[in-house]
Amino acid sequence: MTLIDSPRFNRLSGIVLAYYVLASVFALLLGIVQPATGIPVVIIQLTQFGPMLAVLVVLWLLPGSRGLVRQAGLQSSKAGIAQLGEAVLIVVAIFVVALAWYGLSGHMIDFTNPFDLAHPIWIIVIAQFIGAAGEEIGWRCFLQPALQTRMGVLLSSVVVGLLWGVWHVGVFAEGWLYASSFILFAVCLSVILGELLRGKRLKLPTATTFHALINLAMLLWFKEEGGDAYAMATMAVATLIAAVCALIVHSVRTGRGTRKSNNTFPELR
């Protein structure tokens, strides 16, 4: 019996499909409701809570998924300072590369002073972290570890990134260059997060911090939300470079660990 024919694989496929459909439906409904709430999208987009709601419904409707979640390691734990610091440094590196390219290519950097925004920056920051957590409960705390019970980290990250990118269905209205750049951007971010979270039980604090900082930096430095394909392509290439670097670092660390284990002498008894 092949992996695809196995009952466990079919169960996982059903859980993933149910989650993705529900996350999309909830996002659509929340997007329709948002104008009536009066909450500006620059503060928070209610669609970000679609993945979180989808996880709750899947756990309720499909009791079998609870064991899968426990196996995947959804249980919360405290974030390590070093891991959070690494996430922040990667975000800084991505934007240094993107802004450097803008400067070298002669494109004007359209920086927005955070105190010139229509709403207080502290409210936006808090809301961005809350919204990022709403998404990451679904993508990195549920879907990613669930897929990792049947796939490797890299393949799981790519699959999650593709699904995550397409889930932002509005990007397709901006043309093929913008949409393809955004999907590459999402896949690369997913690969970076997959490496950051590899082998670790904490997921939500690091994933939320990384996601929120990316959103905030793009809000202040780029106008890609207005359909600027060049800005989106620049961010995609910068995150691609960061993702490749993250994979190289993992490869080097793995190689060192293997050599260390091979060179260990037995204890004297």
XYZ file of all heavy atoms in Angstrom, residues 76-119:
328
model
N 1.312 25.116 23.161
C 2.075 26.358 23.273
C 3.262 26.190 24.214
O 3.287 25.329 25.073
C 1.176 27.482 23.793
O 0.711 27.160 25.081
N 4.253 27.043 24.041
C 5.393 27.100 24.936
C 5.980 28.501 24.862
O 5.679 29.266 23.959
C 6.450 26.065 24.547
O 6.879 26.275 23.221
N 6.818 28.844 25.809
C 7.361 30.198 25.848
C 8.426 30.396 24.772
O 9.208 29.511 24.482
C 7.958 30.463 27.230
C 6.898 30.509 28.327
C 7.518 30.843 29.660
C 6.444 30.902 30.745
N 7.011 31.197 32.065
N 8.429 31.571 24.200
C 9.382 31.867 23.137
C 10.757 32.157 23.718
O 10.892 32.790 24.745
C 8.900 33.070 22.338
N 11.771 31.666 23.043
C 13.138 31.959 23.432
C 13.563 33.309 22.871
O 13.224 33.645 21.736
N 14.308 34.057 23.655
C 14.771 35.369 23.209
C 15.635 35.244 21.963
O 15.530 36.050 21.033
C 15.555 36.063 24.345
C 14.650 36.289 25.566
C 16.129 37.387 23.848
C 13.453 37.168 25.292
N 16.487 34.229 21.926
C 17.388 34.053 20.782
C 16.609 33.808 19.499
O 16.936 34.358 18.442
C 18.346 32.896 21.048
N 15.561 32.993 19.579
C 14.772 32.688 18.389
C 14.017 33.920 17.897
O 13.962 34.191 16.696
C 13.800 31.558 18.697
C 13.095 31.016 17.462
C 12.182 29.854 17.792
O 12.313 29.244 18.850
N 11.259 29.557 16.908
N 13.454 34.686 18.823
C 12.769 35.919 18.442
C 13.759 36.922 17.846
O 13.453 37.604 16.859
C 12.065 36.533 19.649
C 10.798 35.821 20.133
C 10.314 36.445 21.440
C 9.710 35.872 19.095
N 14.941 37.001 18.446
C 15.971 37.890 17.922
C 16.383 37.511 16.511
O 16.602 38.386 15.657
N 16.466 36.217 16.243
C 16.809 35.746 14.902
C 15.736 36.159 13.901
O 16.043 36.588 12.784
C 16.970 34.224 14.920
C 17.563 33.655 13.655
C 17.829 32.166 13.753
O 17.662 31.595 14.853
O 18.209 31.564 12.729
N 14.474 36.050 14.304
C 13.368 36.446 13.417
C 13.448 37.932 13.091
O 13.265 38.333 11.932
C 12.028 36.116 14.086
N 13.734 38.755 14.100
C 13.841 40.202 13.884
C 14.998 40.526 12.949
O 14.864 41.347 12.029
C 14.025 40.933 15.231
C 14.317 42.416 15.005
C 12.775 40.772 16.104
N 16.137 39.871 13.142
C 17.308 40.120 12.293
C 17.043 39.748 10.839
O 17.497 40.446 9.920
C 18.511 39.338 12.828
C 19.139 39.868 14.117
C 20.247 38.937 14.597
C 19.676 41.281 13.917
N 16.304 38.685 10.618
C 15.985 38.282 9.244
C 15.095 39.320 8.578
O 15.293 39.667 7.407
C 15.325 36.889 9.221
C 16.325 35.823 9.654
C 14.797 36.565 7.822
C 15.737 34.442 9.815
N 14.123 39.841 9.319
C 13.260 40.892 8.766
C 14.098 42.112 8.399
O 13.940 42.692 7.316
C 12.155 41.285 9.774
C 11.375 42.496 9.261
C 11.207 40.115 10.008
N 14.999 42.509 9.290
C 15.873 43.657 9.017
C 16.706 43.402 7.766
O 16.838 44.279 6.889
C 16.782 43.944 10.227
C 17.842 44.989 9.867
C 15.960 44.403 11.420
N 17.270 42.195 7.646
C 18.105 41.863 6.491
C 17.309 41.927 5.193
O 17.796 42.434 4.174
C 18.705 40.467 6.682
N 16.068 41.430 5.218
C 15.223 41.458 4.021
C 15.014 42.898 3.546
O 15.145 43.209 2.355
C 13.866 40.772 4.308
C 14.055 39.265 4.428
C 12.847 41.101 3.206
C 12.819 38.526 4.906
N 14.710 43.781 4.476
C 14.422 45.163 4.083
C 15.688 45.947 3.752
O 15.634 46.854 2.918
C 13.581 45.849 5.157
C 12.135 45.487 5.050
C 11.636 44.384 5.714
C 11.285 46.209 4.240
C 10.307 44.008 5.595
C 9.952 45.854 4.104
C 9.464 44.748 4.776
N 16.800 45.594 4.335
C 18.068 46.226 3.939
C 18.371 45.893 2.484
O 18.747 46.767 1.694
C 19.219 45.756 4.854
C 20.576 46.117 4.247
C 19.087 46.383 6.237
N 18.185 44.627 2.103
C 18.425 44.207 0.717
C 17.454 44.916 -0.227
O 17.845 45.446 -1.278
C 18.287 42.678 0.577
C 18.299 42.263 -0.903
C 19.410 41.981 1.321
N 16.169 44.940 0.142
C 15.156 45.558 -0.716
C 15.408 47.052 -0.895
O 15.352 47.582 -2.016
C 13.763 45.324 -0.130
N 15.704 47.736 0.193
C 15.937 49.179 0.122
C 17.242 49.503 -0.599
O 17.335 50.508 -1.319
C 15.938 49.771 1.527
C 14.585 49.711 2.265
C 14.747 50.124 3.719
C 13.549 50.571 1.569
N 18.255 48.654 -0.425
C 19.519 48.856 -1.133
C 19.304 48.743 -2.638
O 19.842 49.538 -3.422
C 20.554 47.840 -0.666
N 18.499 47.739 -3.042
C 18.214 47.591 -4.473
C 17.455 48.803 -5.012
O 17.723 49.276 -6.112
C 17.429 46.317 -4.740
C 16.968 46.226 -6.165
C 15.696 46.346 -6.638
C 17.808 46.052 -7.321
N 15.669 46.238 -8.008
C 16.962 46.066 -8.458
C 19.186 45.897 -7.505
C 17.451 45.922 -9.754
C 19.669 45.744 -8.792
C 18.810 45.756 -9.894
N 16.506 49.297 -4.234
C 15.755 50.485 -4.641
C 16.707 51.657 -4.884
O 16.589 52.395 -5.859
C 14.731 50.856 -3.568
C 13.300 50.581 -3.981
C 12.920 49.314 -4.400
C 12.341 51.579 -3.954
C 11.626 49.056 -4.780
C 11.028 51.331 -4.327
C 10.675 50.065 -4.746
O 9.380 49.812 -5.132
N 17.652 51.817 -3.953
C 18.596 52.911 -4.099
C 19.499 52.738 -5.306
O 19.734 53.681 -6.071
N 20.016 51.514 -5.520
C 20.927 51.250 -6.636
C 20.224 51.359 -7.988
O 20.840 51.755 -8.984
C 21.535 49.851 -6.486
C 22.534 49.683 -5.332
C 22.909 48.221 -5.160
C 23.778 50.531 -5.574
N 18.937 50.996 -8.028
C 18.199 51.013 -9.295
C 17.584 52.379 -9.593
O 16.939 52.564 -10.625
C 17.096 49.947 -9.279
O 16.159 50.213 -8.242
N 17.776 53.332 -8.671
C 17.284 54.688 -8.911
C 15.816 54.893 -8.620
O 15.247 55.930 -8.981
N 15.175 53.928 -7.962
C 13.768 54.094 -7.604
C 13.647 54.852 -6.281
O 14.430 54.635 -5.355
C 13.081 52.732 -7.481
C 12.706 52.140 -8.796
N 13.644 51.610 -9.659
C 11.505 51.999 -9.410
C 13.030 51.155 -10.738
N 11.741 51.390 -10.613
N 12.673 55.694 -6.213
C 12.472 56.506 -5.017
C 11.901 55.660 -3.890
O 10.945 54.901 -4.090
C 11.524 57.676 -5.310
C 11.358 58.634 -4.126
S 10.276 60.025 -4.532
C 8.698 59.183 -4.706
N 12.502 55.761 -2.715
C 12.004 55.064 -1.539
C 10.911 55.922 -0.911
O 11.165 57.039 -0.453
C 13.138 54.820 -0.533
C 14.205 53.927 -1.162
C 12.597 54.181 0.742
C 15.455 53.777 -0.322
N 9.705 55.404 -0.910
C 8.542 56.173 -0.448
C 8.271 55.860 1.022
O 7.370 55.100 1.355
C 7.335 55.837 -1.328
C 6.173 56.796 -1.093
O 6.369 57.768 -0.351
O 5.096 56.562 -1.659
N 9.085 56.448 1.887
C 8.940 56.189 3.318
C 7.799 57.009 3.903
O 7.640 58.192 3.602
C 10.233 56.523 4.050
C 10.123 56.427 5.548
C 9.997 55.199 6.175
C 10.139 57.577 6.333
C 9.894 55.119 7.562
C 10.037 57.502 7.714
C 9.917 56.270 8.326
N 6.996 56.385 4.760
C 5.916 57.069 5.462
C 6.274 57.212 6.930
O 6.540 56.217 7.611
C 4.596 56.280 5.340
O 4.245 56.134 3.965
C 3.469 56.998 6.078
N 6.320 58.427 7.403
C 6.586 58.650 8.821
C 5.456 58.017 9.638
O 4.289 58.312 9.410
C 6.648 60.155 9.098
C 7.130 60.459 10.517
O 6.737 59.814 11.483
N 7.987 61.452 10.631
N 5.792 57.115 10.573
C 4.733 56.433 11.335
C 3.815 57.376 12.095
O 2.655 57.052 12.364
C 5.517 55.522 12.288
C 6.899 56.070 12.311
C 7.124 56.673 10.974
N 4.320 58.577 12.414
C 3.499 59.538 13.149
C 2.626 60.384 12.221
O 1.836 61.199 12.681
C 4.391 60.429 14.005
C 5.166 59.664 15.041
C 6.511 59.369 14.846
C 4.542 59.197 16.192
C 7.216 58.654 15.792
C 5.238 58.481 17.145
C 6.578 58.204 16.948
N 2.792 60.170 10.913
C 1.942 60.864 9.943
C 0.784 60.003 9.462
O -0.014 60.435 8.630
C 2.783 61.290 8.723
C 3.756 62.404 9.072
O 3.520 63.098 10.075
O 4.755 62.563 8.335
N 0.703 58.775 9.976
C -0.394 57.896 9.586
C -1.712 58.431 10.133
O -1.747 59.185 11.103
C -0.140 56.478 10.111
C 1.072 55.747 9.509
C 1.341 54.457 10.266
C 0.825 55.443 8.023
N -2.793 58.011 9.492
C -4.109 58.527 9.879
C -4.545 58.052 11.263
O -5.449 58.638 11.867
C -5.148 58.111 8.845
N -3.884 56.996 11.753
C -4.244 56.449 13.062
C -2.976 56.315 13.904
O -1.877 56.158 13.364
C -4.929 55.088 12.890
C -6.102 55.124 11.962
N -7.341 55.569 12.349
C -6.198 54.808 10.647
C -8.176 55.508 11.312
N -7.504 55.055 10.271
